[in-house]
Amino acid sequence: MRFVRVKTEKQQAALMQHTSRQLLIDQRTAVANSLRGQLAEFGVIEKQGIENLADLVRRLDEDDSDIAHIPETALAVMKILADQLRAVEANLAMLDEQIEAWRQSSASAQALKTIPGVGTLISAALAAYVPDPSAFSSGRDFAAWLGLVPRQNSSGGKDRLGRITKQGNPYLRRLLVLGATASLRWLNKRTDPLAMWTRQLLQRRPARLVTVALANKLARIAWAIMTTGELYRREALSVVA
């Protein structure tokens, strides 16, 4: 049985930044999907993706010609949703600034940011959610806590590995997988041992599986850095048990 250490008020406040940020992202997605659906009802199709929201809101603000045929009552509702999107974006920007300020004040988060594929948000989240890395006996133990290890189905002396367990903290697991996905995009521009290990794995396994394996590797490296307090060394990839 693993016991959870009682968090301080400052640690709990740092966690609230991340949980509130995720709530706002979910709200932004819901409002954006509703707005796109309402426009589609009148034959106006907007591209998917958060990056296209700004143009969508602009057209509503400026009463663009391609939405002139939409009734005023419908446009009034859509403009309310556009205002909601603006408010959510402003609050997200404020939370991102607060998370960055907290990361700069945390020695652990600063060390974690040296890992390729681990940015401001991931490093701050790991440092906030894992204040005591010594609670885990190894990097694999930490990765298992995040649900990033294969499920074992062993019988008759035969080991069968299935999909990852997906047990533990879903927020950290999702961030690490997203970080690994972003890391693959810049793989050709990197020459560090972690990039070489990833390229070799891509030659034998599909990209999606490699992404999860890289997220597992990032979790193990993060545990080692949080435990030792050292920075990530690009010239030599440490083997984490």
Side-chain angles (χ1 to χ4, degrees):
M1 180 180 297
R2 188 183 303 281
F3 294 94
V4 179
R5 196 183 73 172
V6 177
K7 296 181 178 63
T8 65
E9 292 183 353
K10 289 185 178 181
Q11 290 170 347
Q12 192 62 39
L15 293 180
M16 288 176 62
Q17 294 175 340
H18 293 273
T19 55
S20 299
R21 184 182 186 278
Q22 187 59 45
L23 175 62
L24 289 176
I25 289 177
D26 293 340
Q27 290 179 349
R28 182 180 65 181
T29 302
V31 174
N33 289 342
S34 177
L35 191 54
R36 284 195 181 92
Q38 291 178 5
L39 285 169
E41 291 289 337
F42 294 95
V44 179
I45 307 301
E46 180 58 45
K47 295 180 181 179
Q48 294 185 357
I50 296 300
E51 63 277 4
N52 297 312
L53 287 180
D55 182 63
L56 186 152
V57 172
R58 178 195 60 78
R59 287 194 291 165
L60 287 171
D61 290 340
E62 299 176 358
D63 294 324
D64 206 78
S65 58
D66 64 342
I67 62 173
H69 64 285
I70 300 177
E72 285 294 330
T73 51
L75 284 175
V77 174
M78 294 179 189
K79 289 180 179 180
I80 291 175
L81 294 180
D83 290 339
Q84 182 67 20
L85 280 176
R86 266 191 294 266
V88 171
E89 288 287 359
N91 289 328
L92 277 173
M94 182 177 62
L95 277 176
D96 285 341
E97 291 178 357
Q98 294 178 3
I99 291 174
E100 170 61 18
W102 186 89
R103 185 199 65 80
Q104 292 180 358
S105 66
S106 170
S108 178
Q110 292 182 41
L112 288 168
K113 198 173 185 295
T114 61
I115 305 173
V118 175
T120 297
L121 184 61
I122 301 177
S123 60
L126 284 169
Y129 274 96
V130 192
D132 184 19
S134 63
F136 304 95
S137 59
S138 65
R140 188 193 184 284
D141 196 14
F142 178 60
W145 179 69
L146 294 174
L148 286 170
V149 297
R151 188 184 301 276
Q152 293 187 357
N153 299 301
S154 303
S155 178
K158 295 182 179 180
D159 294 333
R160 295 182 177 87
L161 300 180
R163 299 185 178 185
I164 58 173
T165 63
K166 292 187 178 181
Q167 296 177 351
N169 192 308
Y171 179 69
L172 290 179
R173 182 172 62 252
R174 181 168 59 251
L175 287 181
L176 286 170
V177 171
L178 289 175
T181 303
S183 182
L184 288 183
R185 296 175 183 174
W186 303 98
L187 195 61
N188 293 332
K189 297 183 179 181
R190 292 168 44 203
T191 58
D192 57 280
L194 183 59
M196 295 173 58
W197 175 85
T198 307
R199 280 194 288 268
Q200 291 175 358
L201 194 58
L202 279 171
Q203 296 175 0
R204 309 190 307 270
R205 296 289 186 270
R208 187 56 183 170
L209 190 149
V210 173
T211 299
V212 178
L214 180 56
N216 179 293
K217 179 74 74 174
L218 292 177
R220 296 183 181 214
I221 296 173
W223 174 84
I225 287 178
M226 288 187 293
T227 302
T228 62
E230 298 180 0
L231 301 181
Y232 176 79
R233 296 191 298 271
R234 296 176 183 271
E235 70 277 5
L237 180 60
S238 300
V239 178
V240 182

